[in-house]
Amino acid sequence: TLFPYTPLFRSQVYRATLANGRPVAVKILRPGIEDVVKVDLAALRAISIMLRKTITQLDLKTISVELNRSVRRELNFKREASNAMKFAELFAKDERLVLPVIESRLRSRRVMVMNYIEGMRLTEYLDKCGEDGPEGAQRRDALMKLMIDHFCEAILKHGFFQADPHPGNFLVMEDGRLAIIDFGSM
């Protein structure tokens, strides 16, 4: 079922099975979303023009231009797939991370297929840690250390990082490893 557009749901992900029996996640760009985004971005530009003289502390023109560029890039799954593959190369030796394997032959601007990763949503994991007393606190702290280590390496060493780090873009595996599942904004 496709949900109505909201800024958080430009695409929908479905679980599927390839002919060889391998489970995959299929990410599909919502039909008509480019037109909706175009209207939203035009409204943002208009608002930023109107507010430039009122809000002088911010460079609203630059913010509007960069947001426009970033959102348009997120609507291209060929770019996202390339980002995911580059990221996987950079972090191939880090066994603490779980990264999707992109099906190169099954990608287009509107569709991307990757291996299915089974894990717990980050917020659910942190809630469970909070319920598990001192042992849960240790698991939470270990995950936070992993995330800090990862982001510092990605930013400071590689200069290539997940630039949309909301909880929905991460899963936590049973063994405490971190899965990163979205590479639209890098």
Side-chain angles (χ1 to χ4, degrees), residues 60-108:
L60 292 177
K61 180 178 180 181
T62 299
I63 292 170
S64 175
V65 168
E66 287 301 315
L67 189 57
N68 187 315
R69 186 179 60 84
S70 176
V71 169
R72 288 183 187 278
R73 283 181 157 189
E74 284 190 56
L75 297 177
N76 183 340
F77 290 158
K78 278 189 173 184
R79 177 181 293 281
E80 181 171 348
S82 295
N83 288 343
M85 291 185 287
K86 178 180 177 178
F87 198 85
E89 285 178 31
L90 293 173
F91 288 93
K93 294 180 182 172
D94 193 336
E95 295 177 359
R96 304 169 305 163
L97 298 178
V98 176
L99 302 171
V101 176
I102 305 299
E103 289 287 331
S104 294
R105 61 185 175 75
L106 299 175
R107 68 178 172 151
S108 71

Side-chain angles (χ1 to χ4, degrees), residues 20-34:
N20 65 9
R22 194 162 67 87
V24 293
V26 181
K27 187 172 183 177
I28 302 170
L29 200 62
R30 292 188 183 284
I33 196 66
E34 292 97 336

Side-chain angles (χ1 to χ4, degrees), residues 40-55 58-65:
D40 287 351
L41 292 173
L44 175 68
R45 276 191 306 276
I47 291 168
S48 73
I49 290 167
M50 289 186 299
L51 294 177
R52 281 185 197 148
K53 291 183 179 171
T54 306
I55 304 174
L58 298 175
D59 182 355
L60 292 177
K61 180 178 180 181
T62 299
I63 292 170
S64 175
V65 168

Side-chain angles (χ1 to χ4, degrees), residues 5 11 27 33 40 43 60 64 90 99-100 117 120-121 140 153 166 176 178:
Y5 167 77
S11 62
K27 187 172 183 177
I33 196 66
D40 287 351
L60 292 177
S64 175
L90 293 173
L99 302 171
I117 299 173
M120 186 179 288
R121 294 249 177 231
R140 178 205 61 220
E153 179 178 345
H166 68 78
L178 179 67

